[in-house]
């Protein structure tokens, strides 16, 4: 059993994960339209991962006997200046998700709901990994640059990351 405050916050997080999935799917469409097929594949795979994050939360809420509610999901941004803008937006978005997860963890702790606290640790670790991944990509963009051959190399490199296992991405 979870409190109504926590179930409400978990439901908000379900919406945020769904929004993340839509945002990355939309980014993949932008990448495709720019001919960046490596980045498009990476974003599409990441959209699938966010969907799994959403499902994991949904299942947890249902398992506690509370009702999972899917609220309105705002339309994601669809246009970007360049690939650097895409990944800067991604990192900023993940930072807001980390804040939301931290707030959930704080509520679970305050309420001494250690089952939910334990469940959320997976998300804490996931956010750490994702922020690291996107910072890493932005570093490569800064080092390699995005003019001509640089953009081609970035696309290949990001495409490779999209296929790698989490351990290989580190
Ligand atoms: Fe991008 O992370 Fe979900 O939680």
């Amino acid at each position: 059993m979870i409190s109504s405050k926590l179930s409400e916050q978990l439901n908000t997080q379900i919406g945020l994960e769904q929004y993340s999935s839509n945002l990355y799917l939309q980014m993949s469409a932008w990448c495709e339209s720019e001919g960046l097929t490596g980045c498009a594949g990476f974003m599409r795979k990441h959209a699938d991962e966010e969907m799994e994050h959403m499902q994991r939360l949904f299942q947890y809420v249902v398992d506690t006997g509370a009702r999972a509610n899917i609220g309105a999901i705002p339309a994601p941004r669809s246009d970007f200046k360049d690939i650097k803008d895409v990944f800067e937006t991604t990192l900023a978005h993940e930072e807001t998700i980390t804040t939301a997860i931290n707030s959930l963890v704080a509520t679970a702790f305050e309420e001494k709901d250690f089952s939910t606290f334990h469940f959320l640790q997976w998300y804490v670790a996931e956010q750490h990994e994702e922020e690291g991944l996107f910072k890493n990509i932005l570093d490569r963009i800064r080092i390699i640059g995005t003019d001509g051959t640089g953009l081609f190399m970035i696309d290949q490199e990001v495409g490779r990351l999209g296929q790698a296992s989490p351990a290989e991405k580190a």
Side-chain angles (χ1 to χ4, degrees), residues 47-61:
D48 289 347
E49 285 180 20
E50 296 298 348
M51 212 51 174
E52 285 167 23
H53 299 175
M54 188 278 278
Q55 292 280 1
R56 186 185 276 254
L57 277 160
F58 185 93
Q59 190 61 50
Y60 181 77
V61 173

Side-chain angles (χ1 to χ4, degrees), residues 60 112-120:
Y60 181 77
K112 296 192 173 54
D113 182 339
F114 296 115
S115 171
T116 303
F117 181 84
H118 173 73
F119 165 75
L120 290 169

Side-chain angles (χ1 to χ4, degrees), residues 3-155:
S3 71
S4 55
K5 179 180 177 187
L6 209 40
S7 84
E8 222 173 273
Q9 230 178 312
L10 285 163
N11 275 319
T12 301
Q13 193 64 34
I14 286 175
L16 283 172
E17 300 294 340
Q18 176 96 57
Y19 174 79
S20 303
S21 182
N22 291 352
L23 175 64
Y24 297 148
L25 196 56
Q26 188 66 70
M27 283 174 166
S28 103
W30 181 89
C31 294
E32 287 285 2
S33 68
E34 295 292 311
L36 300 167
T37 53
C39 291
F42 173 90
M43 284 301 176
R44 184 143 341 177
K45 182 161 179 289
H46 217 78
D48 289 347
E49 285 180 20
E50 296 298 348
M51 212 51 174
E52 285 167 23
H53 299 175
M54 188 278 278
Q55 292 280 1
R56 186 185 276 254
L57 277 160
F58 185 93
Q59 190 61 50
Y60 181 77
V61 173
V62 167
D63 287 346
T64 63
R67 169 138 351 137
N69 285 319
I70 299 169
I73 315 290
R77 184 176 157 194
S78 61
D79 204 18
F80 302 90
K81 205 168 113 245
D82 52 28
I83 198 64
K84 188 161 168 269
D85 185 23
V86 169
F87 282 103
E88 280 171 347
T89 303
T90 306
L91 179 58
H93 176 67
E94 287 301 333
E95 285 168 350
T96 68
I97 297 295
T98 300
T99 303
I101 294 290
N102 287 346
S103 158
L104 258 172
V105 172
T107 303
F109 191 77
E110 276 159 25
E111 294 189 357
K112 296 192 173 54
D113 182 339
F114 296 115
S115 171
T116 303
F117 181 84
H118 173 73
F119 165 75
L120 290 169
Q121 298 313 302
W122 185 89
Y123 287 86
V124 171
E126 181 68 14
Q127 284 313 116
H128 176 75
E129 189 196 299
E130 289 193 342
E131 282 193 30
L133 172 65
F134 291 119
K135 277 185 191 134
N136 188 341
I137 292 174
L138 277 168
D139 282 345
R140 291 177 202 207
I141 288 175
R142 271 189 282 270
I143 292 165
I144 301 174
T146 54
D147 287 341
T149 317
L151 186 55
F152 179 74
M153 281 171 71
I154 292 289
D155 191 48

